[in-house]
């Protein structure tokens, strides 16, 4: 398999530049822009070497493709996260209504979302070890 | 309980002198998928199993089989 990632690096570099330009227009502090651009660069450089993607030479702009095992892991992790969110939201609604309140607080919903993301992350790691 | 999917990929791969990386590239998956399949942790799709068997030039059931089928075959012989 030919592993020509030239267009991948060029397009991701342009995306980072576009993001940095947009942030500059929005008057974001320069340190934040530099840090963000650096993190994005490391992220895009590391992706092809993560072992999680199949490299496809026939798609020069999007050469990284998940294989079936990675898709299975993603689907299951998303399902666990979704199920956790539903259960936690239902519990939150129940507790809130028992307290006689009409609405969920923003902090509580944010916390539930954070738990959902954590479940997705941990489930991904666990499934990667298991499968 | 569901019958375990077994395989002899490691042996067949060695017979063809292929590394895990080479087999992975030949069938269009990551090396980790081949590692997990060889260990029996991951059950590949029929499509992938067929591609692997074709690359290793063996019938599907020579590369993959269900453990209870294997026992039954042994008992019949």
């Amino acid at each position: 398999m030919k592993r020509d990632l030239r267009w991948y690096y060029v397009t991701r570099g342009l995306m980072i530049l576009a993001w940095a330009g947009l942030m500059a227009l929005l008057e974001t502090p320069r340190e934040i822009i530099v840090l963000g651009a650096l993190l994005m660069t490391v992220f895009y450089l590391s992706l092809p070497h993560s072992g999680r993607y199949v490299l496809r030479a026939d798609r020069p702009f999007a050469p990284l493709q998940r294989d079936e095992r990675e898709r299975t892991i993603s689907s299951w992790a998303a399902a666990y996260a979704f199920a956790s969110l539903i259960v936690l939201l239902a519990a939150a609604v129940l507790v809130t209504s028992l307290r006689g309140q009409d609405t969920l607080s923003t902090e509580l919903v944010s916390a539930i979302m954070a738990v959902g993301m954590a479940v997705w992350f941990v489930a991904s790691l666990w499934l990667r070890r298991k499968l | 309980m569901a019958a375990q999917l077994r395989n002899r990929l490691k042996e067949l791969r060695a017979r063809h002198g292929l590394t895990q990386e080479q087999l992975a590239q030949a069938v269009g998956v990551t090396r980790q998928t081949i590692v997990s399949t060889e260990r029996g942790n991951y059950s590949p799709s029929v499509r992938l199993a067929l591609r692997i068997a074709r690359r290793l030039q063996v019938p599907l059931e020579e590369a993959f089989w269900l453990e209870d089928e294997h026992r039954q075959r042994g008992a019949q012989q």
Side-chain angles (χ1 to χ4, degrees), chain A residues 24-93:
Chain A
L25 283 176
L26 295 172
E27 297 179 357
T28 307
R30 186 173 290 182
E31 298 79 26
I32 300 290
I33 297 175
V34 171
L35 183 66
L38 203 65
L39 287 175
M40 287 165 79
T41 303
V42 170
F43 175 71
Y44 284 129
L45 284 175
S46 67
L47 273 191
H49 309 286
S50 65
R52 294 182 182 181
Y53 298 94
V54 177
L55 302 178
R56 287 190 48 179
D58 58 322
R59 291 168 37 173
F61 296 106
L64 305 184
Q65 190 185 40
R66 285 182 175 151
D67 70 354
E68 60 172 54
R69 177 175 162 276
E70 277 297 324
R71 284 198 295 272
T72 303
I73 288 170
S74 297
S75 303
W76 276 102
Y80 287 137
F82 183 73
S84 309
L85 276 178
I86 294 296
V87 169
L88 288 172
L89 276 174
V93 168

Side-chain angles (χ1 to χ4, degrees), chain A residues 1-3 51-55 65-70 72 128-131, chain B residues 21 24-25 28-33 36 41-48 51:
Chain A
M1 188 184 292
K2 194 181 172 192
R3 294 187 170 189
R52 294 182 182 181
Y53 298 94
V54 177
L55 302 178
Q65 190 185 40
R66 285 182 175 151
D67 70 354
E68 60 172 54
R69 177 175 162 276
E70 277 297 324
T72 303
R128 225 163 245 125
R129 289 178 66 86
K130 186 171 175 273
L131 290 181
Chain B
E21 182 70 39
Q25 284 186 15
V29 295
T30 60
R31 191 182 73 86
Q32 194 52 49
T33 298
S36 296
N41 294 338
Y42 178 67
S43 297
S45 66
V46 175
R47 194 182 294 250
L48 176 58
R51 282 206 302 264

Side-chain angles (χ1 to χ4, degrees), chain B residues 2-30:
Chain B
Q4 284 276 328
L5 183 70
R6 301 289 182 195
N7 69 79
R8 58 169 62 94
L9 291 195
K10 197 172 179 179
E11 176 196 330
L12 293 168
R13 189 168 53 75
R15 197 188 292 173
H16 286 264
L18 290 170
T19 63
Q20 290 172 331
E21 182 70 39
Q22 286 168 334
L23 178 60
Q25 284 186 15
V27 298
V29 295
T30 60

